[in-house]
Amino acid sequence: MRHLARALTALGARISTPAPVVLLDVVTENIERMQAFADAHGKRLRPHVKTHKSVEIGKLQLETGAAGLTAGTVSEAEIFAGAGCEDILLAYPLWAVGSKAERIRRLSQVTRLTVGADSRPAIDALRNAMGTAATQLGVLIEVDCGARRSGVRPEVSGALAAYARDRGLRPRGIFTYPGHGGVVGAPEGAARDQAQALRTAVESFAEHGVDAEIVSAGSTPTAEFSTDPVITELRPGEYVFNDYDNYLIGDCATENIGLFLASTVVSDQGHPHVIVDAGTKALGREGNPDRGYGQVPSHHGYLRSLNEYHGYLDLAERGLRPGLGERVAVVPNHVCPVVNAFENLIISNRSGDLLGSWPVDAQGQLN
């Protein structure tokens, strides 16, 4: 991951830490690579914006060939629809009551909106929210393929789709999330589970006289294995930046990591660690003392523990001890919480040219 340290050295004191730095050339290559993969396998690509939350990056994905975008919240969908995205999937079992009902109606008037559902009461709420415009709203039935999160059993998905049709909504197909593929050695098996669940769901749809126009598969870890003919579209998110977990799983090479957290050594009291200015408010709490909360490959170290504003950088015996004031590039274990912690992304490249900053347009938009 030497490209990260080189870029940080070139940027120097022009940026204030802690700060998320995006290497735009790496990100562009990641976007083009995933789009080429989807095209080669005859799949539409619908990237999830939860990772980058950036209108500018969403535009890059659409300009490169993405068929639409995936959002995780109504507010994310509103922001990207407002920026001109014409096709959005809200891949979440939405509960459309209160203010969300009106917001869903408005969204369906400005973009081709499809939302997830996994229960009859949720479908009833969507129908009530849409009123006489129910046919404007597309619905995807979520099925569980082994992650044991949300989603119905695949064999009952057709009955739920038929219920949505009979309530006046427009069932468009199926989606699932193979979240159990996000650990070392698991992606290929999770992708097999995903394909089997989706095939079963398509059969269930057919039994109830509903066409599964969209069969949507998810996650960066399983993307390269999501080539089964039943799948019509892919919904990866993290691939745009990648992170240390993606590297460990084997999703990416070190040179494909396109975001790091620039941090500064602010204290050294002679302990086996030094203190950097990146804590939970910058990195989140994803990790543990053995795995760490962020990696510092330039010094063969990792953040062993975090306070709100402090990171304890443990150093291997072979690692060089950074000096006070030295900048270090932290590779997040999971990149999504890091992006959501900041209002702006510093835009650079492998050479460390400072290209400007882009707002994290959907930062903190959780409802």
Side-chain angles (χ1 to χ4, degrees), residues 264-271 273-277 310-311 313 321-325:
T264 301
V265 177
V266 294
S267 180
D268 183 354
Q269 299 301 318
H271 304 301
H273 60 259
V274 297
I275 299 296
V276 300
D277 62 354
H310 300 83
L313 172 55
R321 194 175 186 88
L324 275 172

Side-chain angles (χ1 to χ4, degrees), residues 189-211:
R192 286 194 297 268
D193 295 342
Q194 171 184 257
Q196 181 58 54
L198 291 173
R199 285 194 296 267
T200 300
V202 169
E203 292 170 1
S204 179
F205 267 54
E207 290 169 2
H208 289 83
V210 183
D211 178 44

Side-chain angles (χ1 to χ4, degrees), residues 164-240:
R165 176 196 60 199
D166 295 344
R167 293 287 282 128
L169 298 166
R170 186 161 50 93
R172 299 187 64 199
I174 309 141
F175 79 105
T176 193
Y177 174 66
H180 56 308
V183 295
V184 176
E188 192 167 5
R192 286 194 297 268
D193 295 342
Q194 171 184 257
Q196 181 58 54
L198 291 173
R199 285 194 296 267
T200 300
V202 169
E203 292 170 1
S204 179
F205 267 54
E207 290 169 2
H208 289 83
V210 183
D211 178 44
E213 163 199 353
I214 296 172
V215 182
S216 183
S219 99
T220 293
T222 57
E224 66 175 304
F225 306 111
S226 299
T227 56
D228 190 281
V230 74
I231 296 168
T232 66
E233 73 174 33
L234 304 176
R235 302 187 328 275
E238 293 168 356
Y239 79 95
V240 69

Side-chain angles (χ1 to χ4, degrees), residues 23-40:
L23 304 182
L24 187 56
D25 46 359
V26 177
V27 166
T28 299
E29 291 166 7
N30 291 344
I31 290 171
E32 292 173 346
R33 187 183 308 107
M34 186 63 78
Q35 186 65 55
F37 176 85
D39 292 345

Side-chain angles (χ1 to χ4, degrees), residues 272-273 298-302 313-322:
H273 60 259
S298 61
H299 290 77
H300 303 287
Y302 71 104
L313 172 55
D314 268 19
L315 302 163
E317 290 183 8
R318 60 196 176 104
L320 295 175
R321 194 175 186 88

Side-chain angles (χ1 to χ4, degrees), residues 119-347:
S119 69
R120 289 192 173 200
I123 287 170
D124 289 338
L126 289 169
R127 174 63 179 83
N128 294 337
M130 292 300 296
T132 57
T135 56
Q136 286 184 217
L137 185 66
V139 175
L140 289 194
I141 304 303
E142 184 175 12
V143 300
D144 178 18
C145 66
R148 304 187 72 178
R149 196 172 68 169
S150 49
V152 299
R153 298 191 315 277
E155 62 269 21
V156 303
S157 60
L160 192 55
Y163 181 76
R165 176 196 60 199
D166 295 344
R167 293 287 282 128
L169 298 166
R170 186 161 50 93
R172 299 187 64 199
I174 309 141
F175 79 105
T176 193
Y177 174 66
H180 56 308
V183 295
V184 176
E188 192 167 5
R192 286 194 297 268
D193 295 342
Q194 171 184 257
Q196 181 58 54
L198 291 173
R199 285 194 296 267
T200 300
V202 169
E203 292 170 1
S204 179
F205 267 54
E207 290 169 2
H208 289 83
V210 183
D211 178 44
E213 163 199 353
I214 296 172
V215 182
S216 183
S219 99
T220 293
T222 57
E224 66 175 304
F225 306 111
S226 299
T227 56
D228 190 281
V230 74
I231 296 168
T232 66
E233 73 174 33
L234 304 176
R235 302 187 328 275
E238 293 168 356
Y239 79 95
V240 69
F241 294 139
N242 292 309
D243 53 31
Y244 197 71
D245 283 351
N246 294 136
Y247 165 68
L248 287 180
I249 294 168
D251 295 339
C252 70
T254 55
E255 60 266 26
N256 305 137
I257 292 177
L259 180 147
F260 64 88
L261 186 71
S263 186
T264 301
V265 177
V266 294
S267 180
D268 183 354
Q269 299 301 318
H271 304 301
H273 60 259
V274 297
I275 299 296
V276 300
D277 62 354
T280 60
K281 283 183 164 40
L283 283 163
R285 290 189 179 274
E286 298 205 26
N288 55 55
D290 294 329
R291 172 185 176 219
Y293 296 85
Q295 312 300 314
V296 182
S298 61
H299 290 77
H300 303 287
Y302 71 104
L303 298 181
R304 173 179 49 81
S305 62
L306 303 174
N307 298 136
E308 288 184 82
Y309 296 110
H310 300 83
Y312 295 72
L313 172 55
D314 268 19
L315 302 163
E317 290 183 8
R318 60 196 176 104
L320 295 175
R321 194 175 186 88
L324 275 172
E326 185 173 339
R327 305 287 178 99
V328 294
V330 179
V331 180
N333 290 337
H334 183 197
V335 69
C336 302
V338 175
V339 174
N340 192 55
F342 292 89
E343 294 182 352
N344 293 284
L345 301 169
I346 304 299
I347 307 301

